[in-house]
Amino acid sequence: MTPAPDPPSNTAQTPVTEPPIPQIPQVSLTFLLVSGNRKSQSFEPETTVGRVKELVWNAWPAHWQDERPPAPSYLRILYLGKILQDDETLRRVGFPTFLASASNASPTIVHLSIRPYALPSDDPAFSKKKRLSVAISRRLSSAGADGESGRAGCCTGCTIC
C-alpha cells in the first residue's frame, strides 16, 4: 500500500491574528500643589477618590519629601472648586476618560491640598485642649470664690454668656 499524497499546500502562509487586547479607559490627572509642583498619573474610572489619595501618597516624588503629609487622609483633591469626597469614583465626579493608546488625551488638572497637621510634641501638657480645659476650670473655680457662681454663663470673664 502506498501512502496517499499530501494535499497541495499554500505557499503563502496566512498570519495568525490574535484578538486585540481590550483597552481599559483611563482618567489622566495632573496634581498641582500650592508650591507649583506637578505630577501626572492615570487611573481607572471606577477608582475612588480615597484610593487615588493612597496611590498618590505611596508614589510621592522624592523631591517633594518636605511637603509629604504623614498619611493619605491629610490630602484633599479639589476639582472645579469642590473638595472631592473619598467615596466618590472618578467616573461619578465627571472626569473625562480616554483609551491608553490615545496620544491626544490631555490630563485634567486638579489641586492637591495638604491639610494642616501638628507635629507631635514631646510634652502632652502643652496640648491645646489641655491648656483650654485648665484655663476654664481655673475661671470656674475663681467664679465660685467671688460669690458670683449663680451668674449664668461659662465663666466670670465671658462676654458672650
Side-chain angles (χ1 to χ4, degrees):
M1 234 172 136
T2 62
D6 290 335
S9 64
N10 283 340
T11 57
Q13 295 277 341
T14 57
V16 177
T17 58
E18 295 181 21
I21 298 172
Q23 293 189 3
I24 299 171
Q26 297 283 303
V27 173
S28 180
L29 300 177
T30 295
F31 298 96
L32 176 62
L33 269 70
V34 174
S35 63
N37 290 329
R38 294 173 184 247
K39 177 181 174 33
S40 295
Q41 280 184 267
S42 294
F43 308 94
E44 293 183 9
E46 295 306 318
T47 307
T48 63
V49 171
R51 180 69 179 140
V52 168
K53 289 179 184 180
E54 291 172 7
L55 294 169
V56 168
W57 188 79
N58 288 331
W60 200 263
H63 60 281
W64 291 9
Q65 286 304 316
D66 58 330
E67 297 177 275
R68 186 175 191 204
S73 60
Y74 287 89
L75 295 175
R76 285 186 251 174
I77 299 175
L78 293 94
Y79 177 61
L80 298 177
K82 295 180 183 175
I83 297 175
L84 304 182
Q85 301 302 311
D86 286 351
D87 59 343
E88 292 180 306
T89 63
L90 299 179
R91 182 184 309 274
R92 193 168 45 182
V93 171
F95 288 115
T97 59
F98 68 93
L99 294 177
S101 64
S103 61
N104 60 350
S106 61
T108 303
I109 296 177
V110 295
H111 293 271
L112 188 62
S113 170
I114 301 171
R115 279 188 319 130
Y117 57 93
L119 297 174
S121 67
D122 295 337
D123 188 2
F126 290 114
S127 71
K128 186 175 182 179
K129 288 182 183 178
K130 179 114 180 161
R131 287 187 309 222
L132 183 59
S133 67
V134 168
I136 288 174
S137 65
R138 284 182 185 160
R139 287 182 184 169
L140 289 176
S141 65
S142 68
D146 293 336
E148 296 181 19
S149 60
R151 179 178 172 222
C154 65
C155 60
T156 58
C158 184
T159 58
I160 298 173
C161 299

